[in-house]
Amino acid sequence: MRRMKNLIGLVGLSMVVACGGAQTQSAEHGSAGGSEHASGSEHASGHAHPGHGGQGMHHDFSDVERFAAMFDDPERDEWQRPDEVVALLQLTPGAIVADLGAGTGYFESYLSSAVGDAGRVLALDVEPAMVAHMQTRFQDARLSNIEAGVVAGDDPGLEPDSVDRILIVDTWHHLDDRGAYAAKLAQALRPGGFVLVVDFTQESPHGPPVARRLLATAVAQELQAGGLAARVIEDESLPYQYVVRADKTAAP
Ligand SMILES: C[S@@+](CC[C@H](N)C(=O)[O-])C[C@H]1O[C@@H](n2cnc3c(N)ncnc32)[C@H](O)[C@@H]1O
């Protein structure tokens, strides 16, 4: 936990998890017809909206049970291709990787295996109910090299030069002031480290409303604005998402 600074607070395992609430807002990972992975459904729900004065699409992710059914739907694996995403991170045993906007922890078992017992996975999210859910999940699965923590919406809460990789899946479009956020990511990376942003294409049948999606080139520009050397990865096979890699550059 030394490597995470300014965490709003690690949610104790005994915390009451806000699962099973009666909220009906849309989500991002469902199939067409009623979730954020259903194109445009957030606009109809009235629960998703552009950032208040910021760039990001703000969304209520506190109904963990509802989102877990979407994010951890086994059918997601076919298009999400978590093995391929994690392979693109080029993790080695002992590495430290942060998953920002980790949600229900969909990627964490893959990341945990990739870094091994000597490595660490920091599963970070702005939503306390998600973090509480992840803590229970990782404890039940005996994944001891993962730490889940709550972070502020405008700060990944990572110490300078503290992590080798940062994974951000389907979350970049939720952030405000992304250039400034990218600068914080750059500071958190160790030399040789990089960020991987995975988000939905304009054509994807899943994802937020098309108007809220970001082009890969725009994401690369935002990461560049933070001082990272960003490029769109071309040789990947994800059907509905693009991947942008942003490397820490050598200090001037
Ligand atoms: C669509 S979900 C993606 C979850 C996960 N990455 C996955 O692929 O299954 C977006 C997640 O990002 C989180 N989130 C939104 N804004 C955030 C921010 N500013 N900082 C950290 N997490 C954020 C939400 O709480 C939610 O859990």
Side-chain angles (χ1 to χ4, degrees), residues 28-46:
E28 287 202 4
H29 288 259
S31 55
S35 67
E36 191 180 315
H37 271 189
S39 177
S41 61
E42 287 195 356
H43 278 184
S45 79

Side-chain angles (χ1 to χ4, degrees), residues 5-252:
K5 64 166 183 174
N6 299 331
L7 291 186
I8 288 176
L10 293 178
V11 183
L13 290 172
S14 59
M15 175 179 170
V16 176
V17 181
C19 293
Q23 296 174 59
T24 56
Q25 79 277 8
S26 57
E28 287 202 4
H29 288 259
S31 55
S35 67
E36 191 180 315
H37 271 189
S39 177
S41 61
E42 287 195 356
H43 278 184
S45 79
H47 287 272
H49 41 87
H52 305 280
Q55 304 162 291
M57 188 185 77
H58 293 188
H59 193 76
D60 182 350
F61 284 99
S62 61
D63 188 348
V64 176
E65 190 172 290
R66 174 177 163 79
F67 286 106
M70 300 170 192
F71 296 175
D72 299 312
D73 182 345
E75 290 187 12
R76 180 183 176 192
D77 296 352
E78 197 279 327
W79 57 265
Q80 185 56 80
R81 306 188 180 173
D83 287 317
E84 179 173 350
V85 170
V86 172
L88 289 170
L89 284 170
Q90 302 173 4
L91 291 166
T92 51
I96 299 175
V97 56
D99 181 9
L100 269 165
T104 56
Y106 172 83
F107 277 97
E108 269 46 48
S109 62
Y110 302 91
L111 298 172
S112 172
S113 296
V115 301
D117 290 341
R120 305 299 299 163
V121 180
L122 308 178
L124 308 175
D125 203 282
V126 75
E127 171 53 57
M130 285 292 188
V131 173
H133 172 84
M134 285 194 285
Q135 288 175 324
T136 301
R137 179 177 183 172
F138 304 150
Q139 187 182 55
D140 289 349
R142 300 180 191 277
L143 295 172
S144 59
N145 62 351
I146 309 178
E147 299 165 28
V150 179
V151 291
D154 62 353
D155 193 329
L158 296 164
E159 295 282 359
D161 295 323
S162 65
V163 296
D164 299 296
R165 302 285 187 270
I166 299 172
L167 177 66
I168 304 177
V169 180
D170 304 342
T171 298
W172 190 252
H173 64 276
H174 289 294
L175 303 179
D176 291 333
D177 201 358
R178 292 187 284 269
Y181 197 92
K184 293 174 182 174
L185 300 180
Q187 192 180 37
L189 285 169
R190 290 170 165 170
F194 64 84
V195 179
L196 216 58
V197 173
V198 180
D199 221 318
F200 293 104
T201 62
Q202 302 289 300
E203 299 77 22
S204 170
H206 302 284
V210 174
R212 301 303 304 170
R213 300 181 194 180
L214 303 169
L215 294 174
T217 49
V219 173
Q221 285 175 357
E222 291 168 347
L223 292 160
Q224 295 261 159
L228 294 159
R231 62 184 169 87
V232 180
I233 292 184
E234 303 293 350
D235 58 343
E236 45 82 9
S237 75
L238 303 187
Y240 303 141
Q241 293 152 302
Y242 54 78
V243 183
V244 180
R245 171 173 162 164
D247 287 66
K248 182 165 183 140
T249 55

